[in-house]
Amino acid sequence: KDWMKYHKWANDQQIKSEDQDSLTITFSSSQEFKVLREVLKWGTDAQPLAPKSLIKLWREEINGMYEMAMAGKEK
């Protein structure tokens, strides 16, 4: 959480909420794919909350990884 708090995601980023276990930041970006990759690299420690298009891409990527993992178990 501390790294996320002090990492610069965008010039207009703002901390919207913070508690002992979580941090919510907002920022604008026209590079949805780069944001997706950044969120994915944190695994279960990060979750996009908006926009809907980013959430959709995130879910599709997770589902694809799950399918690959399950296919690998069958071999």
Side-chain angles (χ1 to χ4, degrees), residues 56-74:
K56 181 179 182 283
L57 288 172
W58 177 68
R59 286 181 176 150
E60 288 171 351
E61 192 71 18
I62 291 169
N63 286 331
M65 289 187 295
Y66 176 79
E67 288 175 16
M68 285 176 63
M70 292 296 99
K73 283 188 174 188
E74 296 170 3

Side-chain angles (χ1 to χ4, degrees), residues 32 50-58 60:
E32 201 166 71
K52 288 181 182 182
S53 58
L54 177 60
I55 296 167
K56 181 179 182 283
L57 288 172
W58 177 68
E60 288 171 351

